[in-house]
Amino acid sequence: MACADLSGLSLLIVGGGRDAFTDIEEAFKGHGGVVFRVENIDDALDFAARKAVDVIVADAGLRFDSTTVQLIDSLSAQAVVYLATEGAGAQGAELFTPCVEDYIDKHTDPLRFIQMVEARLVKHDVGSTALTVTDPLINKLRPYFLFRSPAMRAALENLPSVAASNQTVLISGETGSGKEIVARAIHVLSKRAGGPFMAVNCGAIPEGLIEGELFGHEKGAFTGAAKMRKGKFEAANNGTLFLDEIGDMPLLLQVRLLRVLEERHIYRVGGERPIPINVRVIAATRVGLKQAVADGLFREDLYYRLNILRIHLPPLRQRVEDIAYLAFHFLGRAFNEMAVAPPYPPLSPASIDLIEGLPWRGNVRELRNVMTRVATLLPRGTKQVLPIHVTPHLEDTDPQPSIIEHGMGHGGSIIDERNTGAIYIPIGTALDDAEDIIIRETLRHTGNNRTKTAKILKMGIRTLRRKLHESGQNDL
């Protein structure tokens, strides 16, 4: 961080004992500020009446009642007040929401706190710290993507060249990472932009119906086929067909898709006449297709036919620089949809710290959903989105301690030390987690042989593969 200059600013620490907040005290002094200490809110009010202070850090361990709130409210009229909690959701902290600038964790990085104070109180010359995005790639892709991170830039640096070609593209990435948005951007930036963009989720259509969905059918091809119907390939003619979750496509249909890509014509179900097509195919996968090929679940020749041009999207946790940027965007969009008049309440620095530290297993989609809930349920008149406004919506996002972290055994289960092959799962383990444990330990027992594992667990190999991917036990 650049060397902040807090000369002329004073900090008053309230409560916590002499040994509390020593890192913050030293950092504040080290950047030119002056620090004072008192033991309670009454003393703080007396001190502020005698001497002007700029910043107050109050320990949330102080009593929570209406009198305390009134006193802190009085202090906030003269200084920027931060409430220090053991975590963002400290009991009773919501009482202070109207009075405080932000919440900080008692163990927060002191330099991060200095940054918060500097951003709030230190004046800069206009333009001296302004960040202007001049990267031509970011500017070109801004209508389709919002990103600033080096990881995302590296992933998308070849996108304009990919779009300009007419080759097949394979996009990989975790669920919610934006694969369809990338596909649409490729289409819009390509020479086919004037043609249709059709999307098919290969994992969402029953196996018996996906062939007709892609290739259409002739009248009378089967019971109920009262008229001819065009499939997605014909509908996408002169445009782009996006095949999402290509790894879930049945093997027999993979043969037909390969033939279509090679011969550039299709046959409708029940038809005998070849129908020429001019379609660019973009495929996407959340699973590791190389591993699927090794498992005999995906055709190797089709894999290489699809993998001519490749884009891999990093998960959101690997592009931390984009999290706050996207969160502000999603908040603003949600407020706008609710017809809330700008300016919109921003995320506080502590809220940004909070969301940047989360794993976001659902990636951008999960972040969007959380920010939409925050905006929808934010109390009227709120000036700033604090951690206490965000944490109630993180039930599915907050990282949970694994069983192994509590010393309960290998891989999240308790393994029978007598080598009986038994797996002990503690009472209280969620059903989905128990299933993951059973699959993982059975794989370990079979030396990672998936065929044997599927047989032991009495499930199909495709089902096993899907569960492995859903639980994140299979590398991309």
Side-chain angles (χ1 to χ4, degrees):
M1 136 179 170
C3 185
D5 183 7
L6 303 185
S7 299
L9 295 183
S10 57
L11 166 66
L12 177 63
I13 297 175
V14 185
R18 176 54 54 183
D19 295 331
F21 312 114
T22 53
D23 290 343
I24 285 179
E25 179 177 2
E26 291 175 4
F28 203 90
K29 290 178 178 177
H31 287 81
V34 180
V35 180
F36 305 99
R37 284 180 174 269
V38 294
E39 287 304 313
N40 55 58
I41 292 294
D42 294 307
D43 290 346
L45 201 61
D46 290 340
F47 186 93
R50 292 182 283 104
K51 188 175 184 64
V53 292
D54 303 292
V55 184
I56 295 173
V57 172
D59 186 352
L62 301 166
R63 70 180 187 272
F64 287 98
D65 56 29
S66 59
T67 301
T68 310
V69 173
Q70 291 173 2
L71 293 175
I72 289 183
D73 189 37
S74 299
L75 290 170
S76 67
Q78 321 170 39
V80 178
V81 177
Y82 295 91
L83 193 66
T85 69
E86 287 284 359
Q91 184 179 7
E94 65 275 4
L95 294 172
F96 295 97
T97 297
C99 321
V100 300
E101 171 71 16
D102 208 345
Y103 297 94
I104 62 171
D105 190 277
K106 288 183 179 180
H107 312 291
T108 192
D109 180 353
L111 294 184
R112 177 59 180 149
F113 176 72
I114 298 302
Q115 286 179 319
M116 294 166 67
V117 172
E118 182 189 29
R120 178 67 173 80
L121 295 177
V122 178
K123 304 300 182 183
H124 298 280
D125 295 332
V126 176
S128 64
T129 61
L131 172 64
T132 303
V133 178
T134 57
D135 188 316
L137 175 67
I138 293 178
N139 287 331
K140 185 170 187 177
L141 298 182
R142 183 174 289 163
Y144 318 105
F145 308 98
L146 292 175
F147 68 94
R148 290 174 175 172
S149 63
M152 197 63 172
R153 194 202 185 287
L156 300 176
E157 63 181 346
N158 294 320
L159 190 144
S161 299
V162 169
S165 78
N166 199 38
Q167 299 294 334
T168 305
V169 184
L170 180 61
I171 306 170
S172 59
E174 294 181 5
T175 298
S177 57
K179 297 185 291 294
E180 183 168 347
I181 295 176
V182 171
R184 289 184 181 275
I186 291 173
H187 171 72
V188 171
L189 295 173
S190 74
K191 297 176 182 178
R192 294 175 176 270
F197 177 92
M198 305 299 296
V200 178
N201 188 324
C202 300
I205 302 173
E207 187 170 335
L209 301 179
I210 190 170
E211 184 177 21
E213 184 71 17
L214 289 176
F215 305 116
H217 61 76
E218 297 288 358
K219 179 180 179 181
F222 50 83
T223 303
K227 60 181 181 179
M228 183 275 291
R229 179 177 178 273
K230 293 182 178 181
K232 288 294 195 291
F233 266 100
E234 286 185 82
N237 205 34
N238 297 317
T240 303
L241 177 62
F242 175 55
L243 299 177
D244 198 7
E245 303 302 352
I246 190 72
D248 292 334
M249 179 176 283
L251 278 167
L252 289 177
L253 199 57
Q254 292 177 30
V255 177
R256 287 200 62 180
L257 175 60
L258 178 63
R259 186 174 298 123
V260 169
L261 295 175
E262 296 289 353
E263 299 176 358
R264 314 304 297 178
H265 64 252
I266 65 165
Y267 290 88
R268 298 189 189 119
V269 176
E272 298 180 356
R273 179 176 61 88
I275 301 171
I277 56 164
N278 177 19
V279 174
R280 182 186 197 178
V281 171
I282 300 176
T285 178
R286 74 187 187 286
V287 303
L289 290 187
K290 278 190 174 181
Q291 183 62 54
V293 169
D295 291 340
L297 299 173
F298 201 83
R299 291 183 61 92
E300 186 174 25
D301 46 7
L302 178 58
Y303 170 70
Y304 287 114
R305 184 63 182 79
L306 292 171
N307 194 29
I308 296 175
L309 297 174
R310 178 73 174 269
I311 293 177
H312 177 72
L313 298 179
L316 188 57
R317 60 184 172 274
Q318 292 179 9
R319 37 185 292 220
V320 177
E321 300 92 337
D322 295 336
I323 291 176
Y325 189 30
L326 289 167
F328 275 99
H329 169 72
F330 293 137
L331 271 177
R333 189 170 73 177
F335 284 129
N336 181 63
E337 291 172 353
M338 295 162 57
V340 174
Y344 305 129
L347 286 164
S348 74
S351 294
I352 293 173
D353 278 352
L354 171 67
I355 64 173
E356 287 183 343
L358 293 170
W360 298 112
R361 296 183 182 92
N363 291 292
V364 178
R365 183 182 295 128
E366 183 182 10
L367 176 62
R368 180 194 64 201
N369 292 345
V370 168
M371 289 301 108
T372 299
R373 290 196 292 269
V374 168
T376 302
L377 301 175
L378 194 68
R380 292 287 183 89
T382 300
K383 302 300 183 184
Q384 191 171 209
V385 179
L386 303 174
I388 203 159
H389 299 129
V390 179
T391 50
H393 309 297
L394 299 177
E395 309 82 63
D396 300 326
T397 306
D398 217 11
Q400 300 296 321
S402 65
I403 299 169
I404 190 172
E405 290 174 339
H406 295 287
M408 302 188 77
H410 173 83
S413 60
I414 302 178
I415 308 302
D416 187 0
E417 298 298 337
R418 295 167 295 175
N419 199 30
T420 63
I423 302 171
Y424 297 103
I425 300 173
I427 295 296
T429 303
L431 185 59
D432 287 346
D433 293 338
E435 184 180 70
D436 291 346
I437 290 169
I438 292 169
I439 290 174
R440 179 169 58 243
E441 297 303 339
T442 306
L443 277 168
R444 194 168 70 94
H445 173 74
T446 63
N448 212 35
N449 186 312
R450 298 185 180 197
T451 302
K452 288 183 180 179
T453 298
K455 186 174 182 180
I456 291 172
L457 298 178
K458 294 181 173 59
M459 66 172 63
I461 187 69
R462 288 183 63 84
T463 302
L464 174 63
R465 174 176 159 263
R466 176 174 56 80
K467 289 181 180 295
L468 287 172
H469 293 314
E470 288 175 350
S471 65
Q473 297 183 51
N474 206 17
D475 293 333
L476 285 167

